[in-house]
Each structure stands twice: as structure tokens, then as C-alpha cells.
Amino acid sequence: MAEYKAPLRDMRFVLNEVFKASELWASMPRLADVVDAETADAILEEGAKLTARELAPLNRSGDEEGAHWDNGDVTTPAGFKKAFATYAEGGWVGLSGNPKYGGLGMPKMLSAQFEEMMYSANNSFTLYPTLTTGACMALNAHASQEICETYLPNMYAGVWSGSMCLTESHSGTDLGLIHTKAEPQNDGSYRVTGTKIFITAGEHDLTENIIHLVLAKLPNAPKGPRGISLFLVPKRLVNEDGSLGESNDVSCGSIEHKMGIRASATCVMNFDHALGYLIGEVNKGLTAMFTMMNYERLSIGIQGLGCSEMSYQNALEYAKERTQGRAATGATQPDKAADPILEHPDIRRMLLNIKATTEAGRAFSTYVAKQLDLAKFSDNADEKASADALSALLTPLAKAFFTDVGLENCIQGQQIFGGHGYICESGQEQLVRDVRIAQIYEGTNGIQALDLLGRKTVANGGKFFTAFAREVKGFVESNNTKTMAEFVTPLSKALGNLERVTFWVINKAANHPNEIGAASVEYLHVFGYTAYAYMFALMAKTAQDQLTAGTEEESFYLGKLSTARYFYKRLLPRIHSLTEIVISGADPLFELSNDQF
Amino acid sequence: MAEYKAPLRDMRFVLNEVFKASELWASMPRLADVVDAETADAILEEGAKLTARELAPLNRSGDEEGAHWDNGDVTTPAGFKKAFATYAEGGWVGLSGNPKYGGLGMPKMLSAQFEEMMYSANNSFTLYPTLTTGACMALNAHASQEICETYLPNMYAGVWSGSMCLTESHSGTDLGLIHTKAEPQNDGSYRVTGTKIFITAGEHDLTENIIHLVLAKLPNAPKGPRGISLFLVPKRLVNEDGSLGESNDVSCGSIEHKMGIRASATCVMNFDHALGYLIGEVNKGLTAMFTMMNYERLSIGIQGLGCSEMSYQNALEYAKERTQGRAATGATQPDKAADPILEHPDIRRMLLNIKATTEAGRAFSTYVAKQLDLAKFSDNADEKASADALSALLTPLAKAFFTDVGLENCIQGQQIFGGHGYICESGQEQLVRDVRIAQIYEGTNGIQALDLLGRKTVANGGKFFTAFAREVKGFVESNNTKTMAEFVTPLSKALGNLERVTFWVINKAANHPNEIGAASVEYLHVFGYTAYAYMFALMAKTAQDQLTAGTEEESFYLGKLSTARYFYKRLLPRIHSLTEIVISGADPLFELSNDQF
């Protein structure tokens, strides 16, 4: 495996030059004092060092060793404990946490870039703090001040960690079916009983306590999703003075044997009259979960992006070193027995597919993070409303599209290695196994697509979508210049296509409820490539401006323009077939009866 | 994992009804006495039993245990030895072998369907006899009668096995670079020295001898691919009376740790002045290898097909059992807490994608096998020439397209399982890991695409392609009826598109050598979907004829028509984007300089 190097130059390009983050932060009082360009840059520099030095070296050994389960105790692979301590001491768990309870209060635009580094370096490791971040977010938004004060400082400090206990063996996508029960006690607490599966970081040896957020049903709760409440169930109880008390009735029954992310403990968690505390309102547990969902979903999407970047670095190194055959236009190193495979068009095609979608993905993750930051920090009501709409619309897109493209990118990187990519030694096959989970967990990509097209588009008659389309049109109109024509003309066409297909589904779905599900995955991909076209137009504009102004980094900006052109010519055309498939409608899916399958 | 059941009904439909195999066999003197409809059917029945009872049960345990290496000895996982003995005793190794040396002489049309069963049941197991079949084919075509008599009967009987030793660590695709040397001895034999890697079944405990076919260079051989000769190097020498003699200087240095096919030993093989015998002519080793290449490549393609079928069976069983959520048009089992996920359009989409491409693939593998049989057995010179051209053209297509689609199908099957698909227990993640190798070995799919478009199309000015196009046009013209219009009209359009893009590349490549490599992979996919459209038109015609004639299996034939419609509506449109990408040409791939990557 190539040694991971965080793509700092490209991250800075996106953050500072394309989205002018520091100007944005300065405009929002709640961020102005917390972060500026210099702070952000220092954090990215430190993050790059940490991920390269502490996390990447444990990636393959962690996969080979895996997490261990022994009679309820879970041990992480060698080195994880020390690395987690370094990570926690650096304050990284609380990077975007609430400063009131010891978090650093950093914007998502910055933490999203750090998350990309984390996933590039070590998927399994990253899941431990990521789950804690998610749990903290839910507590910060819905728990009482007392609970926040008791739990958040230790969680932000990485002394305690968190888990999210949703799934049961018969109930995944359809959480309304869960069986776990919570019985109210006289002192206002609850006793939680049930078994949860697929609990990432449900048990491990990295922290002295684990704070489980558990979905359960109260006695006589309404059936289905409206009868679910959220409970905080600590592994070890916390005394009034904040010190650790006795163990709670929570145990880890086993860990799963999985295709990948083997150093991440995926636990079966048994709650046996465990002491728990209600978080948020009774029967509104799912709402409490959804508060943090957009943040979390973007992070899991970024797993796909981080893996894409690592795939690129790994495959590029190999494509430059490996010699085989000759360039079609004549030997490029005639003194040697063969040319580097980078000379072959099909190898370039795969590398450029990865490069282009990773750069567009990085821009898009920062763009979506910007919406999340505006929604959270802006004091301007209109700006906040628009950002709320855009982040609601675009997070399921980012989660599913980054990870679908992420798998394709890891597979393409593996193909560049030929037979060597199938061998564990190259590190590339682990990337394929690790990235695959990101299309499945945190809501499968099929569910993300239904969320994007059903809840976020059809349900509001395309209101959120129109907000996005308006922004893109504004950009096209104000950049309708000769030099930008090669980018904005196809962008404008792609947007027109996306608008037509969006309203085609909205109209069709009014009388045909199956049309949403029949269209959703292909629709999401049409949207994804169109959004990437917008990102490349934004980046091309920035690059052109820098070149016009004069720069010592001409090659970087010219490379960006070439990559943009590659995207428009060889990736954006994918939307045409996808659109045609959407428009073919739901009927072909239901012509076969169930027993004809 | 669902219990594997060979899709006998569909195999018979393809073999007997669509391609009328027994009529074809009866027309060829060398096959007429060997096989008829009844024999073929009995073989498929027995094959179905064998694969379901002996091979499928060892699939997961074989993956978990893996092959073992200990100081040069390789042990296969528990049960493999017994299953291989049963397999060998049944005569399956020699199924398509030369009857002169104890083979059964069966046509590829039949053995291809049996191979599909094998790969569905157990990828790793199947590789042991498959490599033997390949080695036998090369010997049968190029070795002296003495060698054939010495080796083939034991190999067909499964008492000895074979391996193909091509790759070296620095030389895979570009075999001209190999270092392995063969020194001529006074008695006409050779001493072979070198190290080969990625040798499937290079060492194991299934047979008492292993016959290695090794590519090596004679002293002063010309540089590059024209200086390669082929040698037979047995693990144990064979005495004049045919009994086993002493060990040869061949050893297994280690086995690889791989993403999948873990029960298949992938060996590093060391030859240290090992005794070997020249096969075929000096410096024509690659030609000798290519003799069997089309047969072997189709078989490896069929690995993708077999995995697709298993993915379908596994995912369909889950989709019928797993209940989650409600059908969009109202509950289908209101008395239960949820409906089967088979009711959800996106689940049907994934299942139908797998089903349609698997059925088309099965037809296409049988169609390509038919060409291989005609090329081998026909006494009609014109028929033979046309079959030679079609099999040369279509085998790289089948190898790459079946396996590219095979990965997609295994991934889609895994997605249907949700989180359960990521856990080893479901068996589905193993399928994903196992099928992945088929896109890489036996020539990567990128190399197959270059072969299809470069050597088999551009190099002959589209002559082979035109033979294929003529056949499809003939079918379209003779079925230009009202009932067939929904199939032949889009088929005709797709063929027209394929013709245009084929000749676009041929013209463009005349002056731009990079255009072939830039177009090849997407071109192969355009061709693949178009070929599948032809298969579905053939199958639809057969189904319509049966329905018109009256049948008790109405549901089967109607289901075939519905699946055909699904293919035309939701899969064939993929060709449009792919075509557009081909036509974008090679320039976007070379705009970035190597250091801008």
C-alpha cells in the first residue's frame, strides 16, 4: 500500500479558493471567534500528520488481526489503544463538539475534510470516534443539561465513547418493528431490555466507559415508528460526582465476522433490565436520531470519498512503477524493457475516473458541509432556511453517491494492479472490502435514494430541488462567458435534464406510488453526476481566475481544467442512459409476478 | 446461503429449444455418435446432483479454512479430496476431452452449462479441474502422440492434474518479459529454471502427480513474445512404463493470501533445473497457449455467470423471506407486521437486473460454445470458417462481459441482504470476493477488451464483426412481424449503433493508435448489451412459438417474455452513454501530463 499523504493542496483549493471558507466563517458571529483561515490550516496540517503517522500504519495489521471477542470482552487490534489515546489527547473527538461542554466547535466544512483523511488512512479505526461524535450530537440536541454536563465532556475528551443501538435482527430499515422494551421506574429512569445487532463500537477496550444510545419502546407505545423512544444506557453507571460506578446490565454477546472493516467491532448487544435515561420526548426517538442523521450521513458518505482518494494514491504509485508493454504511440523509455503502464489509455481512463470523481466529491462534501454549517450557525433566517433545504436534499445524495462511486473507484484501482490487486499484500483488496459497507450501513443506498426522491423531492413538490436548481442557474447565467462556455453549456444541459426527470417523477408519482422506488437509484445517480458537473464548473471558474491573475502553480490549475474536461467528456454522459432508464418507469418491474422470479 | 439448485429448466430451454443442440450435433459426424438429446440431458441431471450435493456444501467451509502451505506441501480444505475423487471417478475431468485418450468428447455447448453449475456451487473447487482441462487441451493440440498417450489418460481420469505456469512477478500481461530459461539437453529434453507466480493449482494434495505447462525461453531466443517456448514439466517424473518415478526439481515456495477463492491454492512455483519436454515448436509457445485460450476464456467468463446465478438464488430466497416495510400500493400481507421486501420496486430492480443478465448470459455462453463446437467439429468449410471468426470475436467479449456483469450481480445480491450481506454467514460476501478474480485472471478484462477491439476487429477491418452483424440482421429481417416488433425493433437499432461505433473506431484508429485502448472497455460493454439483446430476441421468438403452439408451461414462457421486456427497457439503454463516451475519443485521456496525475 502506498503511504497515505493527505491531499492538502486540493483540500485548500476547495476550502479557501472555491468556497472561500474563512470569509463565510467571519460572517457568522458564532464561528467568527472560533475559526479563521490560519486555525483551519493548522488543523488540516496536524490532521494530515496524525492520519499518516498514527492511523495509516495500523490499517493493514488491524485488518489481519481483527477485533477479538472473549467472553463478552472485546479487544481491538495491536496499536489501536495507543493510537486512540493520541487521537483523544489531541482533542480530535470533540473537533466539532459544543464548546460549552469542552468541544472545539469547528465547522463541518473543516471536520469533513479531516474525516476524509481519517477514512483514507484507516476505515476501521475511524468508526470508533465517528460513532462517539454521532452520539454526542444527539445528546447535545436532545438531552437535558444535566445529562450533557455529565456525559459530553468525557465523550469529547475521548475518555468515554458512544454507540448507536438501532438495528435488531428482524428490524433494520423498518425500525418500527423493534422489540426492545423500556420500563419506566419510580425514580424517572427506565429499565431497557432487548437485543441489538450490528452495533459498531458497542464494546471495545479503547475507553473506560461506553455510552449507548438505544431505541426502545415503552409499554403501550403506539405501533410502528411513532412508538419509538431514545434512551441513554451507559456501560458503567456514573456516580453523582461524575466518577464511574458499577457495571450496568449491558453485555456484548458476540462480534460479527465480516467482509471488511474487521478491526471495527460490530457487536451483538444484550440489554437485560439495563438502567437507562430517556433522551428527548417519549415516542420521538426517531426524531431525535434524525437530528444528527444529516451530519452522520455526510460522514459515512465521506468514507467512500476517503477510500477513493486512497485507491487513487495506491493505484497511481503502482501505475508509475509497474512497467509492462509499450505505449501505443512508441516506447517512452526505450532503454528499458517496457514502459510504465500509466502510458496505456485504459490505465489512464481508470485513474482519471477515480481522480475526477474524487476531486468533485471533495468539492461536493465541502459544499454540503457548508450548507450544514449555514443551517447550524447562520443568524440570517433566509440563508438558514435555504441551507436547511439544501442540506436535507443533498445529504442522502452525498452519502449514497460518494459510496457507490467509492466502490467503483476502489474496484478500478484494484484492476490497475492486475493480479497483484487481488493479493492482500497490495492493500487494495482491503480497500474494496472496507468501502463496501458504506453503501449498506447508516441506511442502505437504496434507502438514501428513496429519501432523496420521495421525502425530500416528491413530498414537497420539488421545492428543495428548485432551490438547488436556482443556484446552479444563477452560476450558469453569471458565467456565460466564452472561456467558461465549455463548462457551463454542458452543465446547463445536464441541469435541464435533471429538472425534466425530477418533474417527470413528481407528476408520475402522484398516481403511481411505485414510481418513486422504481426511479430512485438511477435518479440519484443522474443527480450525482449533475451535482459533480456543477462542482467542476465552480472549480474551473476558480482555476481560470487564478490563471488570469497569474500564479506560480500553473500546472495545478491547468491540471484542474483538464480534469474538469475529462469529467464532462467521459463521465457526465452517464446521465443519458440513467435518465432513459428512469423514464422507462415502474411497469417493467411489476410485469413478472412474484412466483415468476 | 441458499442451497444451490442448478437452473435445469432454463438450461434446457436454451440448449434444446433456442439453439436446438441435438439437431446440430446430429449434423456433425464427429458428434453424432457421441451425444444426443437424451445423453445430454442425463449429463446435466447428474451434473446438477453432483454440484449440489458434493461441491456446494464445501464452498463456505473451504473459504473459511483456506488452502494450507507447509514447507512446500499444499493441503486443500477438509472435504476437497473426497469430493475431487468423486468428481474424477464420475469422468467429469475428461468431459470434453479427446476420446482417443479416454476423454468423453462432449461438445462445449454441454460442458459450458456444466461449468456454470460448477462455478455456482464452488469457485475454488472448480479451478482445480478447470486448469487440468486447459492443460489437456494444449497437450492434445500440440504435444507428440507419445506425450499425449503418457499424460492425457491420467489427466482425463483425474489421477493427475495440470497447471499453467505463465506469469512471473515482473511479467503478467507482457509475457515477452519472462526470465524463465530452458536449457536443451543431449537427450532432447530440457532443464527449466525460473520462478512463476499466481499459479492456480500449482501444488495440492488432490492428485498423485501435477503436470505443469511452463512458458520459458531458450538460450539466445529472440526477445519478446516470439522467443517463448512451451514445456511440460511434471511434478513427479514418469517412468517408461507409465508409473511414477522420482520427484522433479519443482517446488512450491508459498501460496498467496487473497481476497477470495481462498480454497484454491495460488502458488509461487520454483523450477530449479527441472526436467521438461518441449510442447509444440520452439519459440511458438504463445501460439500453443492461444489454441486453448478461447476455450479457457469462455470457461472463466462462465465463472461470472455461475456466480450471477448463485447470487440470484441467494438474494431471491432472502427477498421472499425477509419482511420489512410495506408495499407502496398497500400491504400485501396485512395480517403480518411487514411485507416481503420482494414487494419493493428497488429490490425487484436489483433482482431483475441479475435475472435478465444471467438468462441472457446463459444463452450467450451456449451460443459462443456453439461456435467453438462448429469450429472444432464441423466438416463444412464455410460453416467452420464463420464459426472460427465468431468464436475468435466473441470469446474475449464473453470472458470480460460475463465477469464484469457478474461482479455487479453479486454486489446487487449483497445489497438486497442489507447489513446481513456484509456478514460472512450469508455467503453472499464470499461470492463477491470470489467472483472478483474472474475480471483479473486469464487476461484482465482490459486486455480482453483490447483483444476484442484491436486484434479481432480493427486489425481485420471489421470482418469478424460484419459476420456477426450479418447474422443478427438476418434474424431481424426474418422476424419482422407484429408480435416480434417490440424485440426486433430495438435490437435493430442497437445493432445499427454498434455498427456505427465499430466503424468509427476502425476509421479513427487508422491514424490515432491510442483510440483503440481509449474506446475498448466501453466498446466491449456496448457490444455485450447488444449481444444480450440478440439473445433475448432469440429467446422471445422461441417463447412466442411455444405459446402459439400451446404449452402447459405458460408461466415459464410468459415470464421469459417479461424478462426480455425488462432487459430492453431497463438494461439495453445503457449502451447510449457508453457509446457517447467511446465517441469522446482518446484526447481527454492524454490532456494531463504524467506529472499532473
Side-chain angles (χ1 to χ4, degrees):
Chain A
M1 188 76 132
E3 273 182 38
Y4 172 65
K5 283 196 192 91
L8 284 174
R9 179 65 191 92
D10 203 54
M11 289 179 163
R12 286 177 184 133
F13 170 71
V14 167
L15 198 64
N16 303 329
E17 301 172 46
V18 179
F19 294 113
K20 299 183 171 52
S22 56
E23 291 174 26
L24 187 80
W25 298 333
S27 76
M28 292 186 279
R30 276 181 290 159
L31 276 179
D33 293 343
V34 174
V35 61
D36 57 16
E38 214 170 304
T39 314
D41 212 53
I43 288 174
L44 290 180
E45 284 274 4
E46 284 306 308
K49 282 183 208 159
L50 179 86
T51 48
R53 291 180 191 168
E54 305 290 335
L55 307 193
L58 298 177
N59 186 47
R60 197 175 152 217
S61 59
D63 178 67
E64 285 178 342
E65 186 185 336
H68 309 274
W69 181 92
D70 179 26
N71 199 24
D73 289 331
V74 172
T75 319
T76 52
F80 271 51
K81 212 167 165 171
K82 185 169 159 288
F84 189 83
T86 306
Y87 181 89
E89 279 157 22
W92 295 101
V93 182
L95 187 64
S96 58
N98 189 346
K100 194 171 150 192
Y101 303 111
L104 293 178
M106 289 296 151
K108 185 78 184 173
M109 284 178 92
L110 190 61
S111 65
Q113 296 208 337
F114 175 62
E115 281 165 7
E116 185 203 310
M117 297 181 198
M118 296 273 291
Y119 282 113
S120 291
N122 195 323
N123 283 281
S124 284
F125 182 94
T126 303
L127 291 171
Y128 292 98
T130 298
L131 268 289
T132 305
T133 305
C136 289
M137 232 175 280
L139 292 180
N140 185 56
H142 298 282
S144 65
Q145 184 162 342
E146 191 193 338
I147 285 199
C148 288
E149 281 168 0
T150 307
Y151 292 92
L152 286 179
N154 276 328
M155 292 173 81
Y156 287 148
V159 179
W160 298 350
S161 63
S163 94
M164 315 286 301
C165 302
L166 286 69
T167 303
E168 301 178 11
S169 63
H170 65 290
S171 163
T173 294
D174 188 353
L175 286 169
L177 303 175
I178 61 168
H179 292 154
T180 299
K181 294 274 168 221
E183 293 155 295
Q185 308 295 302
N186 291 335
D187 64 355
S189 69
Y190 293 80
R191 288 287 171 177
V192 176
T193 302
T195 297
K196 297 286 182 177
I197 68 164
F198 298 166
I199 307 309
T200 303
E203 178 57 36
H204 57 77
D205 58 355
L206 299 178
T207 55
E208 59 186 38
N209 201 5
I210 301 175
I211 313 307
H212 305 287
L213 295 194
V214 186
L215 291 184
K217 292 195 155 190
L218 290 171
N220 306 316
K223 281 195 172 177
R226 284 181 193 148
I228 299 175
S229 305
L230 179 64
F231 299 87
L232 181 156
V233 184
K235 174 183 172 185
R236 288 185 65 185
L237 301 177
V238 180
N239 298 322
E240 292 229 344
D241 64 356
S243 64
L244 285 183
E246 58 185 305
S247 288
N248 202 352
D249 297 311
V250 179
S251 62
C252 173
S254 63
I255 61 175
E256 304 289 351
H257 299 278
K258 309 186 300 292
M259 182 182 191
I261 53 164
R262 291 186 176 155
S264 166
T266 305
C267 303
V268 173
M269 296 303 299
N270 299 313
F271 298 90
D272 185 15
H273 294 89
L275 183 61
Y277 311 97
L278 181 70
I279 302 296
E281 289 175 51
V282 163
N283 294 337
K284 297 211 168 154
L286 280 186
T287 318
M289 284 308 218
F290 275 118
T291 305
M292 41 140 287
M293 212 62 117
N294 283 339
Y295 263 75
E296 277 296 287
R297 285 192 168 166
L298 179 58
S299 294
I300 292 303
I302 289 172
Q303 180 174 5
L305 180 59
C307 291
S308 293
E309 172 65 30
M310 194 62 233
S311 175
Y312 182 71
Q313 292 190 21
N314 204 26
L316 177 61
E317 182 179 280
Y318 188 78
K320 285 181 169 175
E321 281 172 4
R322 174 78 170 177
T323 59
Q324 207 80 175
R326 289 295 183 192
T329 46
T332 61
Q333 43 182 46
D335 51 320
K336 299 205 174 139
D339 295 332
I341 59 172
L342 180 57
E343 302 294 345
H344 300 311
D346 191 52
I347 300 289
R348 292 177 98 85
R349 175 186 70 84
M350 293 188 278
L351 280 170
L352 279 163
N353 282 350
I354 309 174
K355 180 177 166 64
T357 51
T358 306
E359 292 181 10
R362 183 171 298 126
F364 193 58
S365 78
T366 309
Y367 173 78
V368 177
K370 177 182 148 184
Q371 309 307 328
L372 290 166
D373 286 336
L374 286 169
K376 185 173 172 183
F377 296 110
S378 174
D379 294 325
N380 176 320
D382 287 350
E383 191 175 62
K384 198 172 144 46
S386 154
D388 267 329
L390 286 181
S391 55
L393 180 74
L394 300 177
T395 43
L397 172 62
K399 192 275 183 184
F401 196 60
F402 289 173
T403 58
D404 283 353
V405 170
L407 179 72
E408 187 183 336
N409 285 342
C410 293
I411 294 274
Q412 287 184 107
Q414 188 181 30
Q415 198 70 15
I416 290 170
F417 277 85
H420 297 273
Y422 197 67
I423 304 301
C424 301
E425 209 181 340
S426 71
Q428 188 71 31
E429 63 86 38
Q430 183 191 342
L431 262 185
V432 174
R433 290 187 287 104
D434 284 356
V435 76
R436 180 70 182 94
I437 188 59
Q439 300 175 287
I440 298 172
Y441 61 14
E442 197 71 21
T444 66
N445 285 0
I447 293 299
Q448 305 297 327
L450 281 176
D451 185 40
L452 169 69
L453 185 53
R455 200 176 307 165
K456 307 291 175 55
T457 303
V458 174
N460 59 38
K463 195 179 145 203
F464 293 178
F465 170 77
T466 303
F468 176 75
R470 199 184 306 123
E471 178 181 320
V472 180
K473 279 182 200 165
F475 177 82
V476 168
E477 278 160 24
S478 52
N479 289 283
N480 202 357
T481 62
K482 213 169 170 182
T483 49
M484 278 295 288
E486 61 174 323
F487 306 112
V488 296
T489 307
L491 170 61
S492 178
K493 277 187 196 159
L495 185 73
N497 174 72
L498 181 61
E499 272 188 310
R500 277 190 300 279
V501 70
T502 302
F503 287 98
W504 183 90
V505 177
I506 291 174
N507 290 330
K508 192 96 178 169
N511 299 312
H512 302 87
N514 274 320
E515 291 292 339
I516 297 171
S520 50
V521 166
E522 274 91 0
Y523 174 82
L524 184 144
H525 282 234
V526 177
F527 203 152
Y529 288 111
T530 307
Y532 278 17
Y534 178 40
M535 293 301 112
F536 265 119
L538 288 173
M539 291 192 283
K541 170 70 180 145
T542 306
Q544 284 186 355
D545 288 350
Q546 300 281 22
L547 287 163
T548 307
T551 166
E552 286 177 359
E553 293 182 299
E554 224 177 23
S555 174
F556 174 82
Y557 294 110
L558 289 173
K560 191 62 79 178
L561 292 175
S562 300
T563 308
R565 282 182 203 112
Y566 179 87
F567 175 84
Y568 279 97
K569 293 246 166 82
R570 294 192 63 113
L571 285 163
L572 186 57
R574 293 185 178 189
I575 60 175
H576 299 135
S577 292
L578 293 164
T579 299
E580 201 177 329
I581 293 166
V582 169
I583 303 290
S584 75
D587 290 347
L589 297 166
F590 288 89
E591 196 176 311
L592 271 97
S593 66
N594 287 2
D595 56 12
Q596 280 176 316
F597 272 84
Chain B
M1 188 75 131
E3 274 181 38
Y4 172 64
K5 282 196 193 94
L8 284 174
R9 180 63 192 96
D10 203 54
M11 288 179 164
R12 287 177 184 134
F13 170 72
V14 168
L15 199 64
N16 304 330
E17 301 173 47
V18 179
F19 294 113
K20 300 183 170 49
S22 57
E23 292 175 25
L24 187 78
W25 298 335
S27 77
M28 292 185 280
R30 278 181 290 159
L31 276 179
D33 293 342
V34 174
V35 61
D36 56 15
E38 214 169 304
T39 313
D41 212 52
I43 288 174
L44 290 181
E45 283 273 5
E46 284 307 307
K49 279 183 209 159
L50 179 85
T51 48
R53 290 179 192 170
E54 305 290 335
L55 307 193
L58 300 177
N59 186 48
R60 196 173 154 219
S61 59
D63 178 67
E64 284 178 343
E65 186 184 337
H68 309 275
W69 182 93
D70 180 26
N71 199 24
D73 291 331
V74 172
T75 320
T76 52
F80 271 51
K81 213 168 164 170
K82 185 169 160 287
F84 189 82
T86 307
Y87 181 88
E89 281 157 21
W92 295 100
V93 182
L95 186 64
S96 58
N98 188 347
K100 196 170 149 192
Y101 304 111
L104 293 178
M106 289 296 151
K108 186 77 185 174
M109 284 179 90
L110 190 61
S111 64
Q113 294 207 337
F114 175 61
E115 281 165 7
E116 186 203 311
M117 296 181 197
M118 296 273 290
Y119 282 112
S120 291
N122 194 322
N123 283 282
S124 284
F125 182 94
T126 303
L127 291 171
Y128 292 99
T130 297
L131 268 289
T132 304
T133 306
C136 288
M137 231 174 280
L139 291 180
N140 186 55
H142 297 282
S144 66
Q145 184 162 343
E146 193 194 337
I147 285 200
C148 287
E149 281 169 0
T150 308
Y151 293 92
L152 286 179
N154 276 328
M155 292 173 81
Y156 286 148
V159 178
W160 299 350
S161 63
S163 94
M164 315 285 301
C165 302
L166 286 70
T167 303
E168 300 178 12
S169 63
H170 66 291
S171 163
T173 294
D174 189 353
L175 286 169
L177 303 175
I178 62 168
H179 291 155
T180 298
K181 294 275 169 221
E183 292 154 296
Q185 308 296 302
N186 290 335
D187 63 354
S189 69
Y190 293 80
R191 289 286 170 177
V192 176
T193 302
T195 297
K196 297 287 183 178
I197 67 164
F198 297 165
I199 308 309
T200 302
E203 178 56 38
H204 57 78
D205 58 354
L206 300 179
T207 54
E208 58 186 39
N209 201 4
I210 302 174
I211 313 305
H212 304 287
L213 296 193
V214 185
L215 291 184
K217 294 195 155 192
L218 290 171
N220 306 316
K223 281 195 172 177
R226 283 181 193 148
I228 299 175
S229 304
L230 180 64
F231 299 87
L232 182 156
V233 183
K235 174 183 171 183
R236 288 184 65 184
L237 301 177
V238 180
N239 297 323
E240 292 228 345
D241 64 355
S243 65
L244 285 183
E246 58 185 307
S247 289
N248 203 353
D249 297 312
V250 178
S251 62
C252 173
S254 62
I255 59 174
E256 304 289 351
H257 299 279
K258 309 186 300 293
M259 184 182 191
I261 53 163
R262 291 185 178 156
S264 166
T266 305
C267 303
V268 174
M269 295 304 298
N270 299 314
F271 299 90
D272 185 14
H273 295 89
L275 183 60
Y277 310 99
L278 181 70
I279 302 296
E281 290 175 51
V282 162
N283 294 337
K284 297 212 169 152
L286 280 185
T287 318
M289 285 307 220
F290 274 118
T291 305
M292 41 139 289
M293 211 63 117
N294 283 339
Y295 264 74
E296 276 296 287
R297 285 193 168 166
L298 179 58
S299 294
I300 291 302
I302 290 172
Q303 181 175 3
L305 180 59
C307 291
S308 293
E309 172 64 29
M310 193 63 234
S311 175
Y312 182 70
Q313 293 190 20
N314 204 26
L316 177 60
E317 182 180 281
Y318 188 78
K320 285 180 169 174
E321 281 173 4
R322 174 78 170 176
T323 59
Q324 206 80 176
R326 290 294 184 192
T329 46
T332 61
Q333 44 182 47
D335 50 321
K336 300 206 173 137
D339 295 332
I341 59 171
L342 180 57
E343 303 293 345
H344 299 312
D346 191 51
I347 299 290
R348 292 176 99 86
R349 175 185 71 84
M350 293 188 278
L351 280 170
L352 279 163
N353 283 350
I354 310 175
K355 179 178 166 67
T357 51
T358 305
E359 292 180 10
R362 182 171 296 125
F364 193 59
S365 79
T366 310
Y367 173 78
V368 178
K370 178 181 148 185
Q371 309 306 327
L372 290 167
D373 286 336
L374 286 168
K376 185 174 173 183
F377 296 109
S378 175
D379 294 326
N380 176 320
D382 286 351
E383 192 174 62
K384 197 172 143 47
S386 154
D388 267 329
L390 287 181
S391 55
L393 180 74
L394 301 178
T395 42
L397 172 63
K399 191 277 182 183
F401 197 60
F402 289 174
T403 56
D404 283 353
V405 169
L407 179 72
E408 187 182 335
N409 285 342
C410 294
I411 295 274
Q412 286 183 106
Q414 188 181 30
Q415 198 69 17
I416 290 170
F417 276 86
H420 296 273
Y422 197 68
I423 304 301
C424 300
E425 209 181 340
S426 70
Q428 187 72 30
E429 64 85 37
Q430 183 191 342
L431 216 41
V432 174
R433 290 186 288 104
D434 283 357
V435 77
R436 180 71 182 94
I437 188 59
Q439 301 173 287
I440 298 172
Y441 62 12
E442 199 69 22
T444 66
N445 285 359
I447 293 299
Q448 306 296 327
L450 281 177
D451 185 40
L452 169 69
L453 185 54
R455 200 176 308 166
K456 308 290 174 57
T457 303
V458 174
N460 59 38
K463 196 179 142 201
F464 293 178
F465 171 78
T466 303
F468 176 76
R470 200 184 305 123
E471 178 181 321
V472 180
K473 279 182 200 165
F475 177 83
V476 168
E477 278 160 24
S478 52
N479 289 282
N480 202 356
T481 61
K482 214 170 170 181
T483 49
M484 277 296 286
E486 61 174 322
F487 306 113
V488 296
T489 307
L491 170 61
S492 178
K493 277 187 196 160
L495 184 73
N497 173 72
L498 181 61
E499 272 187 311
R500 275 190 302 279
V501 71
T502 302
F503 288 98
W504 183 90
V505 177
I506 291 174
N507 290 328
K508 191 95 179 170
N511 299 311
H512 302 87
N514 274 320
E515 291 293 338
I516 297 171
S520 51
V521 166
E522 274 90 359
Y523 174 82
L524 184 145
H525 281 235
V526 177
F527 203 152
Y529 288 110
T530 307
Y532 278 16
Y534 178 40
M535 293 301 112
F536 265 119
L538 287 173
M539 292 193 282
K541 170 70 181 145
T542 306
Q544 283 186 357
D545 287 350
Q546 299 282 23
L547 287 164
T548 308
T551 167
E552 286 178 358
E553 294 181 299
E554 224 178 23
S555 174
F556 174 81
Y557 294 110
L558 289 173
K560 191 61 81 178
L561 293 174
S562 299
T563 308
R565 281 182 203 112
Y566 179 87
F567 176 84
Y568 279 97
K569 293 247 166 80
R570 295 193 62 114
L571 285 164
L572 186 57
R574 291 185 180 190
I575 60 175
H576 299 135
S577 292
L578 293 164
T579 299
E580 200 178 330
I581 292 165
V582 169
I583 303 289
S584 76
D587 289 347
L589 297 166
F590 289 89
E591 197 176 311
L592 271 98
S593 66
N594 286 3
D595 56 11
Q596 279 176 317
F597 272 83

